Each structure stands twice: as structure tokens, then as C-alpha cells.
Amino acid sequence: MKRALLWLLMVLLFTALVLGGALGFFYYSTDEDDLPPAGVTLAGQPLTEAAGYHWELPVLGGVLWREFDLSPSLASVELQPITTPAAALTLAEDMTADGTTLQLKSAGGVTVFEGTAAQWKDFTFPASGEYSLTIRAGRQASGQRPAKPVGYYQYQCRFFVNVQPTLTLSTSEAAQGDVVAVYVAGALGGGSVPPTAQCELGPVWFRPTQNGWLGYLPVTYNAEGGDWPVTVTLEDTTLTATLSVRSTEFPTTQASDSAPATDAANEEFRRVIWSLYDQGSNQASWSGAFQYPAQGASIFQAYGAYLYDGETSAGRAANLTLLCPENALVTSPAPGRVAYAGQLQLTGNTVVIDHGCGVKSYLFGLQSIAGVAAGDQVSAGQGLGVAGRKLIWEVRIGNKSVDPQKLTRGGSDGLFYRPVGDALR
């Protein structure tokens, strides 16, 4: 019995020595050459030299961990001036946004940002001036198998922010019925105060972007051809641009037979519909081309058409009139919020969709309204009711109409403009 116990003890001791030797071999074989790749990029400028680091590397899939430390030096890398309101951060492989933290200080030592790389994406510098930035770029423990390195590299840099606001139009020349994007870049301080625009073509509603503001200027059907100045004020800075408007050849159409509107009907329309022109959100809800609000419909009367009653002028068409199949479903042309749903003496069953930034769809002449009420959020293509024989679709930015047909083409229209290197909010 004693001999058996002694033999078992020797086996256990030998096994422990073998395992210990193996663990020791793998432990000491794990060295600084196994550290994750270093290097981050800030505002397009690479930071390849880390001031220090702390990493824990897994041994045998995480059975053991070996630590490596290098105390951060006081050295700080001098970067080239940053001329954008935000500085994009690109991480090396094995680094994650939630495992990376940043601390930004002004020249006076005041902390103006402290948070993760994920939060840094939405940060804009509060003002031009000198800054110092400490980045701890790495990854946190995740519990995943096989285990991955946990820790960070520390980078320290100094730079000067010099941002000057700029004004860009999506096009320098527009046709009657178009929408032109007005982009103001270089809005420091997180864009807390929106700019204001002055242009006799119409109102501009601005939406925030990562690096500035984006607004939409309507060029209505009867805007005079020629050059139009656009003036934008951003806090104490005034920016100017010029938009050239060219005339569009609109068709001539026989006006629809209808009884003259009563004063009461006109007054009701002004009270209900006109009051919506300057209301709404400055957050745009659309992301792509608009769609026609009735499937299978054909165009009966084009936007901007000259209307005649016999040989007498009856005005211009500020809308698109669609000829619809019987009992055609009326749908929302784009996502938005129902600003009005009800019956008016002048336009019959009426639904108004607020798409944001002053852009609204006005749908007149529905046979019936179903399933929606004022305040409801609707998606593109969501049913609103049943069309009558003729459905009127009008799109306005503020109080100025634009051509709905152009919005169904997407792409080239200013309503779908995307600033290069900027992210919409």
C-alpha cells in the first residue's frame, strides 16, 4: 500500500513538474513582440509612437495572463494644425471604440472632453486654439474565447485648431422647381446655435451635421431667372454665395372646371394650411428619393404649368395633379409626421406630412382618410386613405413650392445632397 501511494505521489509530482514547465515555457515565451499592433490616426495624421502602455496578454488561451507595462513619458507629439470642427480617430487592429478613452484639454488646462472613442465621434471643438490630447487606445476584457489581449497604448499630442466657416451650395445654377442645398461647414462649439440665411428665393431650414449645418433653399416655379445672392450668418461670421436661376419651359394646360371658392373656404384654407408653413422639426426624416403618393397614377397636370380657362389665364400650378385608378391607395411619399388630416371646404379630404427641415407634402382631394391622424409618425409608402379620381400632390419648403417630380428622382436634387467628409445627424 505504501509503495502504491509513493508511486502515485511520484506520478502527481512528475505531472505537476511537466505542467509547470509547460506553463512556464509558454508564459516566458509570451513577450513584448506579442503585443497588439500600435498606432492610431487623428485627423488623418498618424501617431505611431506610444508614450507608454499597459497590456495583459493571454497565455494558453487565458489560463494565465502576463502583464507588460511602460510608464508614459512626458513627451508629446506636435501635430499639424487641424482645420475641421471634428477630428476623426482611426484605431489599429485589436483596438475597440469602447476600450479607447480620450481626454482633451485647452491651453489653460481645462478639460473640454473626456470619454470613449464612440463619444468622440460626435464631438466638435468648442473654439479655435491650442489643445493637448491624451489617448488610451486599446480594448477591454470581453470574456470571449479564445481570450484576446486587454489593455491600452497611451498617446500624447498637441495641436492647434484653426477652423474658418465656409459656405457651399450644392450647385451654382438651378432651374425653377429645384431645391438647392446650403451647407455651412466649420461650426465650432457643437453647432448649438444654428445659422440664419437671407435669400429672396425663400426660407432655409438648417439641420445639424457633424461639422456644421445643412439647409434647403426652394427655387419655386415663378422665381425670376438671373443671379440671386445667398447670405448666411453664423454667430459673428457672415458668408455669401451666388445662385444662378435659369428659366424652365413649363407646359400649358386647360384649367380644371370647378366652382369658384367661397370666401369662407379660402379663409379656412389660409387658417389651417398657411399656419403650417413655418412649423415643424429641423430634423430631416427622409433618406432617399420620394415616391409618388398613388400607385398606377399618371400625371394629369405638371408642376408649374400655365393654366388657361379658354383663352384667359387662370394662373400657375404650384402642384402636381395625378390621375388615379379607381380606389387607388394614397401613401406617404416619404417618412414624416402627420401635421394635418381632415376635410377642408377648398381641397376636400386633406393630409399634410411634415418631412422635416421645412419640407412638407400636401395631399389634396382624397376620397377618404383612413388610419392616420395629426401627430402620427408614418413611413414611406404607408397608407393614408383612398384617392379620388384626381389627387393633388404639393411639396413646399416653408411657403415656397418645388417640383415633386424631381424629388422622386433622388440623387441630383439638393434635398439629397451629402457633404463630403461630413455625417448627417
Side-chain angles (χ1 to χ4, degrees):
M1 178 64 74
K2 290 182 178 180
R3 185 176 295 178
L5 290 174
L6 181 61
W7 179 83
L8 180 59
L9 181 61
M10 291 178 65
V11 170
L12 292 174
L13 180 61
F14 177 77
T15 303
L17 289 173
V18 171
L19 289 175
L23 289 173
F25 172 79
F26 285 110
Y27 183 85
Y28 288 105
S29 295
T30 302
D31 56 26
E32 292 181 340
D33 291 337
D34 298 310
L35 292 177
V40 299
T41 300
L42 182 73
Q45 303 181 58
L47 301 175
T48 56
E49 294 293 331
Y53 56 77
H54 172 81
W55 284 99
E56 297 178 25
L57 303 187
V59 179
L60 289 177
V63 176
L64 290 176
W65 293 81
R66 186 172 184 188
E67 294 189 14
F68 294 90
D69 282 287
L70 176 63
S71 297
S73 67
L74 298 178
S76 186
V77 178
E78 293 281 350
L79 299 183
Q80 294 295 318
I82 295 176
T83 57
T84 55
L89 178 69
T90 304
L91 302 174
E93 187 180 357
D94 280 333
M95 299 178 185
T96 61
D98 59 352
T100 299
T101 60
L102 303 92
Q103 184 182 56
L104 181 70
K105 293 185 177 182
S106 65
V110 177
T111 299
V112 294
F113 176 86
E114 191 165 16
T116 65
Q119 295 168 322
W120 178 261
K121 291 181 180 179
D122 296 324
F123 174 76
T124 56
F125 297 107
S128 292
E130 187 176 0
Y131 294 90
S132 61
L133 178 64
T134 299
I135 306 172
R136 286 189 170 183
R139 62 180 302 122
Q140 295 176 326
S142 63
Q144 294 180 344
R145 294 293 180 186
K148 291 189 176 183
V150 175
Y152 60 86
Y153 290 105
Q154 183 162 314
Y155 302 89
Q156 295 165 176
C157 59
R158 294 193 304 270
F159 51 85
F160 194 87
V161 173
N162 184 14
V163 179
Q164 298 299 323
T166 59
L167 172 61
T168 302
L169 302 181
S170 59
T171 180
S172 60
E173 183 179 272
Q176 293 165 329
D178 284 351
V179 179
V180 177
V182 181
Y183 176 51
V184 181
L188 293 176
S192 56
V193 180
T196 58
Q198 296 291 329
C199 182
E200 293 186 9
L201 286 171
V204 178
W205 294 46
F206 284 100
R207 62 188 292 194
T209 69
Q210 183 183 32
N211 293 331
W213 296 86
L214 182 62
Y216 306 98
L217 176 66
V219 183
T220 196
Y221 62 87
N222 59 358
E224 292 186 11
D227 291 341
W228 293 80
V230 180
T231 302
V232 174
T233 302
L234 180 63
E235 296 183 349
D236 58 352
T237 302
T238 300
L239 308 167
T240 59
T242 300
L243 177 66
S244 179
V245 174
R246 66 177 186 273
S247 299
T248 298
E249 298 239 352
F250 291 106
T252 299
T253 303
Q254 185 70 22
S256 301
D257 294 331
S258 58
T262 65
D263 290 343
N266 286 327
E267 175 57 31
E268 179 189 49
F269 185 84
R270 286 191 293 267
R271 176 175 53 81
V272 174
I273 300 300
W274 288 16
S275 65
L276 300 176
Y277 291 161
D278 59 359
Q279 297 181 21
S281 166
N282 69 342
Q283 298 294 326
S285 60
W286 70 91
S287 59
F290 284 42
Q291 57 185 253
Y292 286 99
Q295 293 295 318
S298 59
I299 296 176
F300 174 80
Q301 178 181 281
Y303 171 84
Y306 292 88
L307 306 178
Y308 283 87
D309 183 5
E311 296 184 355
T312 304
S313 173
R316 301 285 299 277
N319 49 56
L320 190 67
T321 301
L322 302 174
L323 199 60
C324 302
E326 187 176 358
N327 295 324
L329 179 67
V330 178
T331 59
S332 179
R337 181 187 62 83
V338 178
Y340 177 79
Q343 188 174 52
L344 298 174
Q345 297 176 57
L346 188 64
T347 55
N349 287 313
T350 299
V351 177
V352 181
I353 307 296
D354 178 11
H355 305 297
C357 291
V359 182
K360 295 184 181 72
S361 285
Y362 299 81
L363 300 168
F364 303 128
L366 282 73
Q367 179 178 306
S368 62
I369 299 172
V372 293
D376 290 349
Q377 293 291 328
V378 293
S379 57
Q382 181 172 332
L384 306 174
V386 177
R389 183 59 175 152
K390 293 178 184 177
L391 178 68
I392 294 175
W393 179 25
E394 184 171 291
V395 177
R396 289 181 180 267
I397 299 180
N399 63 344
K400 298 293 185 179
S401 69
V402 296
D403 189 349
Q405 258 190 294
K406 293 185 176 182
L407 304 188
T408 65
R409 300 167 189 159
S412 61
D413 191 273
L415 215 60
F416 313 104
Y417 175 77
R418 295 293 183 267
V420 177
D422 201 350
L424 301 180
R425 293 184 181 176

XYZ file of all heavy atoms in Angstrom, residues 142-230:
673
model
N -13.523 41.075 -22.521
C -14.836 40.768 -23.088
C -15.375 39.417 -22.667
O -16.560 39.142 -22.871
C -14.752 40.811 -24.621
O -13.865 39.816 -25.089
N -14.528 38.552 -22.116
C -14.974 37.219 -21.754
C -15.080 36.275 -22.931
O -15.540 35.143 -22.792
N -14.667 36.731 -24.124
C -14.738 35.897 -25.314
C -13.642 34.830 -25.274
O -12.606 34.990 -24.648
C -14.586 36.747 -26.577
C -15.735 37.711 -26.809
C -15.533 38.537 -28.070
O -14.431 38.608 -28.613
N -16.593 39.157 -28.537
N -13.913 33.733 -25.979
C -12.927 32.664 -26.145
C -12.654 32.462 -27.623
O -13.600 32.424 -28.416
C -13.433 31.370 -25.499
C -13.564 31.457 -23.997
C -12.212 31.608 -23.337
N -12.322 31.695 -21.863
C -11.303 31.935 -21.075
N -10.097 32.114 -21.590
N -11.469 32.010 -19.777
N -11.385 32.353 -28.036
C -10.197 32.444 -27.179
C -9.977 33.873 -26.682
O -10.422 34.831 -27.310
C -9.061 32.006 -28.112
C -9.559 32.351 -29.481
C -11.040 32.124 -29.455
N -9.300 33.965 -25.537
C -9.075 35.266 -24.916
C -8.183 36.141 -25.801
O -7.317 35.641 -26.521
C -8.435 35.080 -23.547
N -8.433 37.441 -25.744
C -7.644 38.403 -26.510
C -6.935 39.366 -25.560
O -7.345 39.533 -24.410
C -8.535 39.170 -27.479
C -9.083 38.311 -28.614
C -9.783 39.164 -29.662
C -10.228 38.317 -30.836
N -10.848 39.152 -31.902
N -5.869 40.034 -26.040
C -5.152 40.985 -25.187
C -6.081 42.056 -24.633
O -7.025 42.499 -25.300
C -4.108 41.578 -26.130
C -3.896 40.542 -27.176
C -5.235 39.901 -27.371
N -5.798 42.470 -23.410
C -6.577 43.511 -22.741
C -5.608 44.600 -22.283
O -4.577 44.299 -21.673
C -7.344 42.952 -21.535
C -8.059 44.073 -20.787
C -8.330 41.878 -21.967
N -5.928 45.860 -22.574
C -5.055 46.943 -22.143
C -5.122 48.126 -23.087
O -6.115 48.304 -23.803
N -4.031 48.893 -23.132
C -4.047 50.102 -23.960
C -2.630 50.575 -24.255
O -1.667 50.254 -23.553
C -4.805 51.230 -23.260
C -4.215 51.636 -21.926
C -3.172 52.574 -21.851
C -4.683 51.079 -20.735
C -2.622 52.939 -20.632
C -4.135 51.433 -19.513
C -3.103 52.357 -19.473
O -2.544 52.704 -18.266
N -2.517 51.343 -25.347
C -1.356 52.176 -25.624
C -1.742 53.611 -25.294
O -2.879 54.026 -25.566
C -0.954 52.109 -27.098
C -0.353 50.795 -27.539
C -1.091 49.898 -28.307
C 0.960 50.477 -27.202
C -0.542 48.694 -28.728
C 1.528 49.272 -27.623
C 0.761 48.393 -28.379
O 1.319 47.207 -28.785
N -0.837 54.369 -24.745
C -1.122 55.771 -24.442
C -0.366 56.661 -25.425
O 0.841 56.517 -25.618
C -0.728 56.116 -23.004
C -1.073 57.569 -22.631
C -1.103 57.786 -21.136
O -1.692 56.991 -20.400
N -0.490 58.865 -20.674
N -1.117 57.584 -26.026
C -0.549 58.551 -26.960
C -0.804 59.949 -26.416
O -1.866 60.219 -25.837
C -1.179 58.414 -28.343
C -1.023 57.050 -28.954
C -1.980 56.054 -28.720
C 0.066 56.740 -29.753
C -1.844 54.792 -29.260
C 0.211 55.472 -30.307
C -0.742 54.511 -30.059
O -0.604 53.253 -30.597
N 0.151 60.833 -26.621
C 0.017 62.222 -26.180
C 0.419 63.135 -27.330
O 1.462 62.938 -27.961
C 0.918 62.461 -24.952
C 0.493 61.651 -23.747
C 1.532 61.576 -22.648
O 1.278 61.001 -21.590
N 2.719 62.126 -22.860
N -0.430 64.110 -27.596
C -0.138 65.022 -28.704
C -0.670 66.414 -28.402
O -1.534 66.601 -27.535
C -0.740 64.489 -30.005
S -2.530 64.253 -29.965
N -0.109 67.370 -29.106
C -0.558 68.766 -29.034
C -0.833 69.247 -30.452
O -0.152 68.837 -31.405
C 0.501 69.657 -28.380
C 0.762 69.356 -26.922
C 1.576 70.489 -26.269
N 2.823 70.719 -27.000
C 3.963 70.092 -26.734
N 4.013 69.171 -25.776
N 5.056 70.360 -27.418
N -1.791 70.136 -30.566
C -2.117 70.662 -31.896
C -2.879 71.965 -31.744
O -3.403 72.290 -30.669
C -2.934 69.664 -32.711
C -4.149 69.128 -31.997
C -5.357 69.820 -32.010
C -4.075 67.928 -31.308
C -6.462 69.325 -31.343
C -5.187 67.419 -30.647
C -6.382 68.112 -30.667
N -2.956 72.692 -32.835
C -3.703 73.950 -32.881
C -4.909 73.755 -33.791
O -4.791 73.197 -34.892
C -2.826 75.087 -33.397
C -3.412 76.455 -33.148
C -3.183 77.124 -31.945
C -4.207 77.069 -34.099
C -3.731 78.372 -31.707
C -4.759 78.321 -33.870
C -4.513 78.973 -32.670
N -6.071 74.175 -33.328
C -7.290 74.121 -34.136
C -7.533 75.487 -34.757
O -7.570 76.503 -34.037
C -8.513 73.700 -33.282
C -9.805 73.817 -34.082
C -8.325 72.285 -32.770
N -7.640 75.514 -36.070
C -7.888 76.765 -36.777
C -8.980 76.506 -37.808
O -8.726 76.023 -38.913
C -6.618 77.258 -37.466
C -6.819 78.614 -38.138
O -7.802 79.303 -37.890
N -5.889 78.984 -39.006
N -10.215 76.782 -37.420
C -11.376 76.488 -38.258
C -12.031 77.789 -38.707
O -12.371 78.638 -37.876
C -12.401 75.610 -37.512
C -13.612 75.340 -38.388
C -11.753 74.300 -37.084
N -12.210 77.932 -40.010
C -12.903 79.084 -40.563
C -14.172 78.594 -41.261
O -14.120 77.702 -42.105
C -12.008 79.812 -41.579
C -10.724 80.365 -40.986
C -10.985 81.396 -39.903
O -11.931 82.186 -40.003
N -10.159 81.394 -38.869
N -15.328 79.136 -40.910
C -16.575 78.691 -41.542
C -16.555 78.915 -43.053
O -15.974 79.883 -43.545
C -17.644 79.573 -40.873
C -17.024 80.035 -39.598
C -15.561 80.166 -39.887
N -17.193 78.010 -43.777
C -17.312 78.126 -45.229
C -18.759 77.869 -45.638
O -19.500 77.160 -44.953
C -16.396 77.123 -45.951
O -16.757 75.788 -45.547
C -14.937 77.382 -45.632
N -19.141 78.451 -46.762
C -20.490 78.292 -47.300
C -20.391 77.625 -48.667
O -19.654 78.084 -49.537
C -21.177 79.655 -47.418
C -22.531 79.697 -48.154
C -23.560 78.830 -47.441
C -23.032 81.129 -48.284
N -21.135 76.537 -48.839
C -21.142 75.809 -50.109
C -22.579 75.569 -50.543
O -23.411 75.142 -49.734
C -20.423 74.450 -49.971
O -19.089 74.661 -49.525
C -20.395 73.708 -51.300
N -22.872 75.832 -51.815
C -24.159 75.470 -52.398
C -23.990 74.169 -53.161
O -22.936 73.917 -53.752
C -24.653 76.574 -53.345
C -24.819 77.980 -52.761
C -25.341 78.928 -53.826
C -25.750 77.972 -51.558
N -25.006 73.321 -53.149
C -24.907 72.041 -53.848
C -24.754 72.229 -55.347
O -24.260 71.341 -56.048
C -26.132 71.181 -53.558
O -27.329 71.837 -53.961
N -25.149 73.377 -55.847
C -24.964 73.714 -57.252
C -24.920 75.227 -57.373
O -25.515 75.942 -56.557
C -26.101 73.148 -58.125
O -25.879 73.514 -59.493
C -27.451 73.686 -57.691
N -24.211 75.718 -58.362
C -24.158 77.168 -58.577
C -25.262 77.635 -59.512
O -25.503 78.830 -59.654
C -22.798 77.575 -59.145
O -22.565 76.930 -60.397
N -25.940 76.675 -60.170
C -27.011 77.005 -61.109
C -28.176 76.055 -60.895
O -27.985 74.839 -60.809
C -26.500 76.900 -62.553
C -27.529 77.305 -63.594
C -26.987 77.208 -65.008
O -26.396 78.185 -65.482
O -27.136 76.131 -65.612
N -29.373 76.591 -60.788
C -30.559 75.765 -60.539
C -31.692 76.199 -61.450
O -31.767 77.353 -61.870
C -30.990 75.874 -59.082
N -32.565 75.247 -61.750
C -33.739 75.529 -62.563
C -34.931 75.809 -61.664
O -34.950 75.424 -60.484
C -34.040 74.355 -63.484
N -35.930 76.471 -62.215
C -37.163 76.691 -61.477
C -37.771 75.338 -61.089
O -37.833 74.424 -61.903
C -38.150 77.485 -62.338
C -37.688 78.912 -62.613
C -38.481 79.565 -63.740
O -38.924 78.888 -64.656
N -38.643 80.872 -63.667
N -38.172 75.217 -59.829
C -38.714 73.960 -59.316
C -37.709 73.128 -58.552
O -38.068 72.138 -57.914
N -36.410 73.519 -58.606
C -35.354 72.767 -57.924
C -35.298 73.080 -56.433
O -35.882 74.057 -55.954
C -33.979 73.104 -58.521
C -33.745 72.422 -59.856
O -34.557 71.567 -60.240
O -32.740 72.755 -60.526
N -34.531 72.236 -55.727
C -34.133 72.505 -54.348
C -32.612 72.562 -54.328
O -31.944 71.704 -54.916
C -34.613 71.409 -53.377
C -34.148 71.709 -51.953
C -36.128 71.281 -53.425
N -32.048 73.573 -53.667
C -30.597 73.737 -53.572
C -30.181 73.571 -52.117
O -30.764 74.185 -51.220
C -30.159 75.120 -54.106
C -28.658 75.315 -53.932
C -30.549 75.267 -55.578
N -29.180 72.724 -51.883
C -28.671 72.537 -50.523
C -27.719 73.677 -50.180
O -26.906 74.106 -51.006
C -27.946 71.206 -50.401
N -27.818 74.177 -48.954
C -26.951 75.238 -48.438
C -26.163 74.640 -47.279
O -26.739 74.332 -46.223
C -27.782 76.449 -47.965
C -26.864 77.561 -47.457
C -28.679 76.963 -49.096
N -24.856 74.454 -47.472
C -24.027 73.765 -46.484
C -23.049 74.742 -45.841
O -22.263 75.392 -46.531
C -23.274 72.622 -47.152
C -22.299 71.898 -46.243
C -22.691 71.425 -44.996
C -20.983 71.685 -46.639
C -21.807 70.759 -44.166
C -20.085 71.015 -45.826
C -20.499 70.555 -44.590
O -19.617 69.904 -43.779
N -23.125 74.834 -44.519
C -22.215 75.683 -43.745
C -21.305 74.764 -42.944
O -21.759 74.074 -42.033
C -22.987 76.629 -42.802
C -22.021 77.522 -42.040
C -23.986 77.468 -43.587
N -20.018 74.734 -43.300
C -19.046 73.905 -42.578
C -18.245 74.789 -41.634
O -18.132 76.001 -41.828
C -18.107 73.210 -43.561
N -17.678 74.159 -40.612
C -16.829 74.903 -39.688
C -17.594 75.537 -38.551
O -17.218 76.597 -38.053
N -18.686 74.866 -38.111
C -19.457 75.380 -36.976
C -18.871 74.810 -35.693
O -19.096 73.652 -35.365
C -20.930 75.004 -37.112
N -18.091 75.609 -34.977
C -17.482 75.156 -33.736
C -18.493 75.225 -32.598
O -19.561 75.821 -32.722
C -16.256 76.001 -33.415
C -15.076 75.838 -34.379
C -13.958 76.805 -34.026
C -14.556 74.422 -34.371
N -18.116 74.613 -31.472
C -18.980 74.644 -30.304
C -20.136 73.683 -30.383
O -21.150 73.840 -29.707
N -19.991 72.629 -31.226
C -21.045 71.622 -31.303
C -22.256 72.078 -32.095
O -23.276 71.417 -32.110
N -22.149 73.236 -32.794
C -23.272 73.686 -33.600
C -24.518 73.957 -32.787
O -25.622 73.614 -33.187
N -24.362 74.568 -31.609
C -25.509 74.777 -30.727
C -26.419 75.899 -31.225
O -27.614 75.904 -30.935
C -25.026 75.097 -29.307
O -24.154 76.213 -29.310
N -25.853 76.848 -31.955
C -26.645 77.970 -32.474
C -26.721 77.851 -33.989
O -25.707 77.980 -34.679
C -26.020 79.324 -32.092
C -26.853 80.472 -32.643
C -25.876 79.439 -30.585
N -27.899 77.563 -34.542
C -27.997 77.396 -35.994
C -27.772 78.712 -36.720
O -28.056 79.788 -36.187
C -29.434 76.898 -36.193
C -30.174 77.377 -35.002
C -29.195 77.364 -33.872
N -27.253 78.648 -37.953
C -27.085 79.863 -38.741
C -28.431 80.362 -39.243
O -29.442 79.661 -39.168
C -26.196 79.400 -39.906
C -26.483 77.943 -40.040
C -26.794 77.440 -38.659
N -28.436 81.558 -39.752
C -29.617 82.119 -40.399
C -29.252 82.466 -41.833
O -28.109 82.858 -42.116
C -30.123 83.375 -39.678
O -29.066 84.359 -39.638
C -30.554 83.044 -38.261
N -30.202 82.296 -42.740
C -29.951 82.559 -44.159
C -30.906 83.635 -44.664
O -32.079 83.680 -44.266
C -30.104 81.289 -44.975
N -30.386 84.481 -45.522
C -31.192 85.510 -46.162
C -31.110 85.305 -47.676
O -30.032 85.349 -48.261
C -30.684 86.907 -45.805
C -30.789 87.265 -44.332
C -32.227 87.444 -43.897
O -33.073 87.863 -44.677
N -32.510 87.127 -42.637
N -32.265 85.039 -48.292
C -32.345 84.936 -49.747
C -33.794 85.150 -50.138
O -34.704 84.555 -49.537
C -31.858 83.563 -50.232
S -31.877 83.417 -52.039
N -34.016 85.985 -51.130
C -35.387 86.303 -51.521
C -36.076 85.142 -52.224
O -37.284 85.193 -52.464
C -35.394 87.546 -52.402
C -34.980 88.814 -51.653
C -35.122 90.068 -52.499
O -35.703 89.967 -53.595
O -34.645 91.130 -52.069
N -35.329 84.079 -52.539
C -35.970 82.917 -53.161
C -36.892 82.204 -52.188
O -37.901 81.620 -52.602
C -34.898 81.943 -53.669
C -34.143 82.368 -54.926
C -32.979 81.429 -55.181
C -35.079 82.391 -56.138
N -36.530 82.195 -50.902
C -37.368 81.508 -49.935
C -36.631 81.229 -48.645
O -35.448 81.540 -48.502
N -37.310 80.606 -47.685
C -36.708 80.331 -46.378
C -35.751 79.134 -46.444
O -35.868 78.274 -47.314
C -37.923 79.999 -45.498
C -38.907 79.406 -46.466
C -38.708 80.132 -47.772
N -34.813 79.079 -45.520
C -33.894 77.951 -45.391
C -33.974 77.422 -43.975
O -33.771 78.166 -43.015
C -32.440 78.363 -45.715
C -31.499 77.173 -45.526
C -32.330 78.909 -47.134
N -34.277 76.134 -43.835
C -34.297 75.459 -42.536
C -33.023 74.642 -42.432
O -32.760 73.790 -43.285
C -35.496 74.531 -42.423
C -36.831 75.207 -42.409
C -37.261 76.196 -43.240
C -37.922 74.931 -41.532
N -38.541 76.556 -42.941
C -38.982 75.788 -41.894
C -38.113 74.033 -40.486
C -40.212 75.776 -41.249
C -39.327 74.016 -39.842
C -40.366 74.885 -40.211
N -32.244 74.863 -41.379
C -30.970 74.164 -41.235
C -31.098 72.975 -40.296
O -31.778 73.040 -39.271
C -29.889 75.113 -40.705
C -29.367 76.063 -41.737
C -29.812 77.379 -41.785
C -28.419 75.651 -42.661
C -29.327 78.263 -42.730
C -27.931 76.522 -43.609
C -28.376 77.836 -43.652
N -30.392 71.889 -40.645
C -30.283 70.702 -39.802
C -28.817 70.541 -39.408
O -27.912 70.871 -40.186
C -30.760 69.456 -40.542
C -29.936 69.148 -41.778
C -30.481 68.044 -42.639
N -30.429 66.738 -42.018
C -30.611 65.605 -42.696
N -30.839 65.633 -44.003
N -30.561 64.450 -42.079
N -28.518 70.061 -38.190
C -27.121 69.922 -37.773
C -26.440 68.737 -38.451
O -27.051 67.701 -38.690
C -27.220 69.705 -36.260
C -28.580 69.114 -36.057
C -29.462 69.694 -37.111
N -25.158 68.910 -38.765
C -24.306 67.821 -39.227
C -23.128 67.733 -38.261
O -23.003 68.542 -37.337
C -23.788 68.067 -40.650
O -22.847 69.147 -40.637
C -24.932 68.411 -41.598
N -22.237 66.774 -38.479
C -21.100 66.629 -37.581
C -20.204 67.854 -37.628
O -19.682 68.300 -36.601
C -20.289 65.385 -37.949
C -19.115 65.122 -37.004
C -18.290 63.931 -37.427
O -18.169 63.648 -38.613
N -17.723 63.232 -36.476
N -20.018 68.434 -38.816
C -19.082 69.540 -38.986
C -19.750 70.877 -39.259
O -19.061 71.863 -39.548
C -18.100 69.242 -40.129
C -17.182 68.087 -39.797
O -16.881 67.840 -38.638
N -16.749 67.366 -40.820
N -21.078 70.941 -39.197
C -21.712 72.224 -39.496
C -23.221 72.116 -39.572
O -23.861 71.480 -38.740
N -23.784 72.746 -40.615
C -25.234 72.804 -40.785
C -25.575 72.631 -42.259
O -24.835 73.078 -43.139
C -25.786 74.148 -40.296
C -25.595 74.382 -38.833
C -24.500 74.907 -38.217
C -26.524 74.066 -37.791
N -24.685 74.956 -36.856
C -25.920 74.444 -36.565
C -27.801 73.511 -37.771
C -26.562 74.284 -35.342
C -28.438 73.352 -36.559
C -27.823 73.742 -35.365
N -26.723 72.018 -42.522
C -27.190 71.795 -43.894
C -28.638 72.235 -43.989
O -29.490 71.794 -43.205
C -27.058 70.313 -44.249
C -27.446 69.899 -45.666
C -26.564 70.585 -46.699
C -27.351 68.382 -45.814
N -28.917 73.110 -44.945
C -30.272 73.613 -45.144
C -30.696 73.459 -46.590
O -29.907 73.083 -47.463
N -31.968 73.785 -46.864
C -32.538 73.554 -48.184
C -33.265 74.814 -48.659
O -34.167 75.321 -47.981
C -33.485 72.347 -48.141
C -32.794 71.127 -47.583
C -32.959 70.765 -46.241
C -31.937 70.368 -48.363
C -32.305 69.663 -45.717
C -31.272 69.268 -47.847
C -31.457 68.916 -46.514
O -30.796 67.836 -45.994
N -32.862 75.282 -49.827
C -33.397 76.522 -50.395
C -34.309 76.185 -51.574
O -33.873 75.554 -52.543
C -32.251 77.422 -50.860
C -32.621 78.725 -51.564
C -33.336 79.666 -50.604
C -31.376 79.393 -52.133
N -35.589 76.590 -51.526
C -36.501 76.296 -52.637
C -36.345 77.313 -53.774
O -36.149 78.505 -53.543
C -37.874 76.432 -51.976
C -37.671 77.456 -50.891
C -36.260 77.257 -50.394
N -36.410 76.807 -54.998
C -36.447 77.670 -56.186
C -37.797 77.401 -56.831
O -37.960 76.446 -57.584
C -35.289 77.355 -57.155
C -35.326 78.316 -58.338
C -33.949 77.431 -56.447
N -38.770 78.225 -56.548
C -40.136 77.940 -56.958
C -40.337 78.204 -58.450
O -39.461 78.758 -59.137
C -41.130 78.752 -56.106
O -42.433 78.205 -56.258
C -41.108 80.223 -56.495
N -41.511 77.817 -58.969
C -41.773 77.839 -60.419
C -41.696 79.233 -61.030
O -41.373 79.386 -62.204
C -43.151 77.219 -60.707
C -44.305 77.958 -60.082
C -44.926 79.030 -60.730
C -44.784 77.592 -58.828
C -45.995 79.704 -60.145
C -45.844 78.249 -58.247
C -46.439 79.302 -58.904
O -47.496 79.971 -58.320
N -42.002 80.279 -60.258
C -42.027 81.636 -60.822
C -40.869 82.502 -60.345
O -40.917 83.724 -60.456
C -43.362 82.319 -60.508
C -43.625 82.420 -59.008
O -42.827 81.936 -58.199
N -44.737 83.038 -58.644
N -39.805 81.860 -59.827
C -38.613 82.636 -59.456
C -37.987 83.222 -60.719
O -37.849 82.533 -61.742
C -37.602 81.728 -58.740
N -37.622 84.472 -60.675
C -37.057 85.133 -61.852
C -35.675 84.572 -62.166
O -34.880 84.269 -61.278
C -36.969 86.637 -61.620
C -38.322 87.328 -61.546
C -38.182 88.831 -61.452
O -37.053 89.331 -61.653
O -39.180 89.503 -61.184
N -35.394 84.412 -63.456
C -34.077 83.973 -63.876
C -33.033 85.036 -63.584
O -33.325 86.230 -63.552
N -31.794 84.591 -63.317
C -30.713 85.528 -63.010
C -29.986 85.119 -61.747
O -30.181 84.021 -61.209
N -29.139 86.002 -61.257
C -28.321 85.720 -60.079
C -29.033 86.172 -58.803
O -29.558 87.289 -58.742
C -26.967 86.430 -60.188
C -26.099 85.832 -61.282
O -26.374 84.683 -61.692
O -25.148 86.491 -61.732
N -28.985 85.307 -57.799
C -29.603 85.582 -56.511
C -28.544 85.443 -55.414
O -27.917 84.382 -55.284
C -30.742 84.602 -56.228
C -31.921 84.758 -57.134
C -32.040 84.285 -58.413
C -33.152 85.421 -56.840
N -33.262 84.598 -58.935
C -33.976 85.295 -57.981
C -33.650 86.088 -55.730
C -35.266 85.826 -58.047
C -34.935 86.609 -55.786
C -35.722 86.492 -56.931
N -28.332 86.493 -54.617
C -27.370 86.380 -53.512
C -27.944 85.565 -52.366
O -29.134 85.657 -52.045
C -27.141 87.841 -53.092
C -28.387 88.558 -53.511
C -28.892 87.860 -54.740
N -27.080 84.731 -51.761
C -27.435 83.956 -50.579
C -26.487 84.378 -49.459
O -25.267 84.247 -49.597
C -27.303 82.438 -50.828
C -27.681 81.652 -49.572
C -28.156 82.007 -52.013
